[in-house]
Amino acid sequence: MPRIITTVNVNGIRAAARKGLIGWIERTEADIVCLQETRASDEQLAETLTPALEGGWHLVSAEPAAKGRNGVAVLSRTPADAVRVGHGDEEFLAAGRYIEADFSDLTVASLYLPSGEAMTPKQEEKERFIKSFAIHLSTTAAAADAADRHVVVGGDWNIAHTQLDLKNWKTNKKSSGFLPNEREWMDVLFAEDSAWVDVFRAQHPDVAGPYSWWSYRGKAFDNDSGWRIDYQVATRGFAERAEAAVVERAESYDARWSDHAPVTVSYR
């Protein structure tokens, strides 16, 4: 079973590759890497990741129907046993927002949840997504429990759950990603009697951040004025196997190859 899993929004796979992503892949100890916002077709993605694939990595992906938007993938050191695209909602099936890959008794999913925009149709789209995705998570957890399997959903969830997950929370109360109904959705998802666990927060309770996304604007990165919106969410039995969780924050602004940082969890 994979021991180290990473999730990262690459903010465009081709741009990230030019800025240093390939070197990071060559150095990482991760067994599986969940990628989001590849902004590439399956063909373009595979071409960009050729050095990694030639180095022994395996790739499964869900390309976006809209050119230059979305796109998710899973890189793994061993080939997946099975792959599924989408979460059962026809509206988002071709959106390139969700993919699942099975590895023995573990399912690893890569998620790019819509970012939304308060008081616009984009927010309505986000709300439709989380409503149907909640149903998928519920049925997935039940099926995994019945089959004695585990599930990890790594990805850009585009919601900062609590005040600890957002530096400037006071000025973002009406911003998408920190709206009351979004946070309440996560309250339910991560309730004590829920099947799902926010693995990173379980490893780092009661601390601010560590943040995983910083705007390219201004001094957000230098001031660590970020959001924690990249999560690994696991079924409870697998979450209990987590030993360590880190945000691989770049040493400097210039060393970044995405506006997100990889979020890596080691499991025993």
Side-chain angles (χ1 to χ4, degrees):
M1 179 181 290
R3 289 192 61 253
I4 303 177
I5 299 174
T6 294
T7 183
V8 60
N9 179 319
V10 296
N11 193 20
I13 194 72
R14 287 164 287 184
R18 291 193 298 269
K19 296 176 182 178
L21 169 63
I22 301 302
W24 176 86
I25 293 174
E26 292 173 347
R27 295 187 301 272
T28 185
E29 296 182 359
D31 299 297
I32 293 179
V33 180
C34 299
L35 305 172
Q36 301 90 42
E37 205 172 357
T38 62
R39 299 185 190 175
S41 67
D42 288 341
E43 182 179 357
Q44 291 169 331
L45 178 62
E47 181 180 357
T48 302
L49 293 175
T50 294
L53 301 180
E54 290 181 344
W57 287 87
H58 300 267
L59 174 68
V60 295
S61 57
E63 65 184 6
K67 186 177 180 180
R69 297 178 58 194
N70 309 337
V72 290
V74 176
L75 269 175
S76 57
R77 297 197 186 268
T78 59
D81 301 324
V83 179
R84 294 170 297 280
V85 173
H87 67 278
D89 188 329
E90 288 296 322
E91 178 182 357
F92 300 103
L93 180 59
R97 288 195 177 275
Y98 188 72
I99 188 170
E100 294 179 346
D102 294 340
F103 303 90
S104 185
D105 62 349
L106 174 68
T107 296
V108 179
S110 184
L111 165 72
Y112 180 43
L113 196 143
S115 58
E117 185 178 338
M119 305 298 291
T120 73
K122 288 185 177 180
Q123 190 64 30
E124 295 172 3
E125 176 191 46
K126 184 176 187 178
E127 291 171 1
R128 291 195 303 273
F129 187 100
I130 63 175
K131 182 178 181 180
S132 61
F133 192 56
I135 295 171
H136 177 74
L137 288 173
S138 179
T139 57
T140 295
D145 183 61
D148 197 23
R149 294 182 55 81
H150 308 284
V151 185
V152 176
V153 181
D156 180 354
W157 289 66
N158 266 314
I159 300 173
H161 181 201
T162 74
Q163 295 175 7
L164 293 175
D165 301 314
L166 173 57
K167 181 70 171 287
N168 295 323
W169 63 268
K170 292 181 180 179
T171 57
N172 279 286
K173 292 180 179 180
K174 296 183 180 181
S175 299
S176 183
F178 200 64
L179 296 174
N181 65 306
E182 296 173 333
R183 298 171 61 205
E184 289 168 5
W185 181 74
M186 283 198 155
D187 287 341
V188 174
L189 181 61
F190 300 140
E192 288 187 5
D193 60 349
S194 169
W196 297 96
V197 176
D198 176 352
V199 179
F200 200 95
R201 180 53 72 202
Q203 289 289 308
H204 299 274
D206 305 322
V207 299
Y211 308 120
S212 61
W213 176 82
W214 306 262
S215 172
Y216 276 133
R217 299 176 181 176
K219 296 288 186 178
F221 182 80
D222 295 335
N223 296 332
D224 198 23
S225 182
W227 296 56
R228 190 180 78 91
I229 54 177
D230 301 276
Y231 296 74
Q232 288 195 34
V233 176
T235 44
R236 195 162 295 275
F238 195 68
E240 291 173 354
R241 298 187 183 186
E243 296 181 315
V246 297
V247 173
E248 299 184 38
R249 190 179 191 272
E251 294 183 359
S252 66
Y253 181 96
D254 294 340
R256 305 169 74 191
W257 40 264
S258 172
D259 51 354
H260 294 251
V263 175
T264 300
V265 180
S266 300
Y267 300 88
R268 62 178 183 273

